[in-house]
Amino acid sequence: MAAICVFCASSRTLDQRWLDLAAETGAEIARRGHTLVSGGGCVGMMGALADGARAAGGRTVGVIPQSLVDLEVADLASDELLITDSMASRKTVMIDKSDAFLTLPGGLGTLDELFEVWTTATLALHAKPMVLVDTDGFYRPVLDWLGALADQTFLKPAGLGLLTVTDTVPAALDAMERQLT
């Protein structure tokens, strides 16, 4: 089975529906026998994601910088908690430890992680599946902007094509599993 890295929000002020989406994502990853790799936080969607995976019997790996451990937001219940020296090294470890990447709704940090893994894929530094879950059109404005970048040749169509977009978590995991086989 695969190690699936999920990028998502860690905000403490989100609507319950986003926390529920994260918890269900973690549970679905576990039900399918995959390991969850996350940003190692215990708050917001990130915390709900890991809790959902563990509640369904899944294995969790958290990757978190020491500065966030110091703020007491580390997911100490992780089966494996890897502590890095910076946010940049956190992303490197997450990429190295994962077989595929799933992006849920989130803010700047989530987009930073998505663009890092996507950029490294366009440079052929990895060929791991990347799926964006566009729940309720959350990412539609970003996807429209990216389409405009491609139209203006700032983004090659092949690069745009490396990201699979779905509107549900089961469809996202189905797409990943097809790409991993």
Side-chain angles (χ1 to χ4, degrees):
M1 296 282 91
I4 298 177
C5 183
V6 177
F7 304 132
C8 62
S10 60
S11 171
R12 298 175 193 252
T13 61
L14 299 173
D15 288 343
Q16 186 62 43
R17 73 183 186 127
W18 300 120
L19 301 174
D20 293 344
L21 174 67
E24 181 53 36
T25 300
E28 185 67 16
I29 288 169
R31 281 193 291 271
R32 292 180 183 224
H34 302 298
T35 294
L36 170 68
V37 178
S38 76
C42 65
V43 296
M45 290 175 72
M46 198 180 304
L49 174 75
D51 289 344
R54 284 191 291 271
R59 182 172 190 281
T60 61
V61 176
V63 185
I64 190 167
Q66 182 64 53
S67 61
L68 294 181
V69 173
D70 296 343
L71 292 174
E72 299 181 352
V73 296
D75 180 13
L76 300 177
S78 290
D79 294 299
E80 184 178 358
L81 188 64
L82 304 171
I83 300 172
T84 65
D85 62 356
S86 68
M87 293 294 278
S89 59
R90 173 203 216 182
K91 288 184 288 187
T92 299
V93 171
M94 290 169 80
I95 291 169
D96 290 345
K97 290 282 186 185
S98 302
D99 300 309
F101 305 92
L102 186 150
T103 303
L104 294 175
L108 291 177
T110 302
L111 289 171
D112 175 53
E113 292 164 335
L114 168 63
F115 286 135
E116 174 88 13
V117 74
W118 195 358
T119 299
T120 54
T122 65
L123 297 171
L125 298 176
H126 72 82
K128 300 174 183 181
M130 301 170 294
V131 181
L132 178 77
V133 180
D134 187 26
T135 303
D136 297 333
F138 183 88
Y139 282 111
R140 178 52 35 208
V142 173
L143 294 168
D144 289 345
W145 173 69
L146 291 166
L149 288 180
D151 290 345
Q152 298 176 54
T153 68
F154 286 100
L155 173 60
K156 294 178 182 173
L160 191 58
L162 291 173
L163 182 69
T164 301
V165 179
T166 67
D167 58 359
T168 68
V169 170
L173 291 172
D174 289 346
M176 275 185 186
E177 289 169 346
R178 281 191 302 274
Q179 293 178 50
L180 286 167
T181 57

